[in-house]
């Protein structure tokens, strides 16, 4: 899985490892990935986790990472969690706006598409599972990040149609505000967090473990009849999409 070193990704990797899966976490930060893999091995055994450093916007690095993942045999589940809002502001110029849209597309769409496509030949047939991480932003903005996540929805629908006859499902999970992650960085002041929680109907933030549980369900045999779906988990901040 990509983006498995922190936050939702790390919780998801732990959930799969606890279930007996062999997890490979991918990303750009070696120290973070190593720490995650070592923690999983300590908890669940020496074969529970491995890691590979790769910039998943670069085809050559994706190809090498996919070969590493597939070296252990058929791939059961692909989770694409890499990304985030990497362009939270611009200078107002057309050049700045264009740069922000390009960066968010690369970070959120290319990372999902390239890794998935590279692993498709190795995905178990039947029974393979693809789960993309989207966001509440896909249905309400902001533009460059929300648009990138909306593109992930379109790609999810394409995969579901393309792979259904082979017994492979493709779905996406779209979280709202989730606490305990580094997503918002320095912006996550107590006041900022309070506004996000106040927008929910449950009066509480999501937890990485809750999102991980949803991903784990979509990856399970019990979800064989679920494909081409976007599962929104946002405490009621956005209803019925």
């Amino acid at each position: 899985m990509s983006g498995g070193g922190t936050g939702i990704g790390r919780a998801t990797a732990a959930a799969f490892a606890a279930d007996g899966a062999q997890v490979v976490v991918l990303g750009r930060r070696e120290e973070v990935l190593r720490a995650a893999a070592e923690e999983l091995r300590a908890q669940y055994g020496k074969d529970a986790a491995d890691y590979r450093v790769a910039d998943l916007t670069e085809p050559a690095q994706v190809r090498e990472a996919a070969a590493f993942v597939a070296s252990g045999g058929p791939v059961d589940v692909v989770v694409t969690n890499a990304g985030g809002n990497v362009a939270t502001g611009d200078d107002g110029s057309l050049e700045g706006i264009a740069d922000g849209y390009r960066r968010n597309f690369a970070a959120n769409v290319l990372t999902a598409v390239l890794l998935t496509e590279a692993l498709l030949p190795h995905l178990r047939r039947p029974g393979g599972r693809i789960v993309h991480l989207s966001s509440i932003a896909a249905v309400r903005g902001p533009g460059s990040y929300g648009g990138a996540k909306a593109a992930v929805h379109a790609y999810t629908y394409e995969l579901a149609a393309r792979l259904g006859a082979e017994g492979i499902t493709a779905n996406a999970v779209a979280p709202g505000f989730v606490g305990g992650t580094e997503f918002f960085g320095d912006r996550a002041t107590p006041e900022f967090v309070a506004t996000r929680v106040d927008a929910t109907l449950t009066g509480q933030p999501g937890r990485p473990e809750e999102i991980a549980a949803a991903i784990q369900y979509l990856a399970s045999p019990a979800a064989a009849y679920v494909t081409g779906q976007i599962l929104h988990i946002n405490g009621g901040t956005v209803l019925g999409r």
Side-chain angles (χ1 to χ4, degrees), residues 5-232:
T6 62
I8 291 171
R10 191 159 182 163
T12 302
F16 279 106
D19 228 13
Q22 293 179 303
V23 180
V24 180
V25 290
L26 307 172
R28 293 182 298 177
R29 297 180 294 174
E30 183 167 10
E31 289 185 9
V32 170
L33 295 176
R34 183 190 299 114
E38 289 177 351
E39 180 181 326
L40 294 178
R41 290 173 192 149
Q43 288 183 290
Y44 304 111
K46 63 181 179 64
D47 296 325
D50 207 339
Y51 73 93
R52 182 80 172 190
V53 177
D55 181 343
L56 299 178
T57 68
E58 295 293 337
Q61 294 189 43
V62 174
R63 194 174 290 112
E64 291 177 0
F68 179 78
V69 172
S71 65
V75 177
D76 296 297
V77 182
V78 176
V79 179
T80 67
N81 179 63
N85 189 355
V86 299
T88 56
D90 58 70
D91 60 6
S93 69
L94 293 181
E95 290 79 7
I97 293 168
D99 179 67
Y101 270 79
R102 289 190 184 104
R103 287 197 291 146
N104 264 332
F105 185 88
N108 295 283
V109 183
L110 284 184
T111 55
V113 173
L114 294 180
L115 180 62
T116 301
E117 295 294 332
L119 287 173
L120 276 185
H122 310 286
L123 202 56
R124 189 177 298 279
R125 290 161 168 80
R129 301 284 186 263
I130 300 166
V131 186
H132 300 304
L133 263 292
S134 178
S135 168
I136 191 174
V139 296
R140 70 173 195 180
S144 66
Y145 177 60
K149 288 304 189 184
V152 171
H153 292 188
Y155 179 56
T156 300
Y157 302 148
E158 174 198 328
L159 286 173
R162 196 197 323 170
L163 301 172
E166 300 178 52
I168 296 172
T169 66
N171 297 283
V173 173
F177 178 72
V178 177
T181 78
E182 59 182 28
F183 182 89
F184 290 102
D186 293 341
R187 293 185 293 153
T189 63
E191 294 77 17
F192 176 91
V193 171
T195 63
R196 296 295 170 129
V197 171
D198 287 346
T200 71
L201 301 182
T202 58
Q204 59 188 9
R207 296 184 296 112
E209 294 77 15
E210 293 170 331
I211 311 305
I215 295 168
Q216 198 171 22
Y217 163 69
L218 290 173
S220 72
Y225 198 47
V226 181
T227 195
Q229 303 302 311
I230 312 300
L231 177 55
H232 288 275

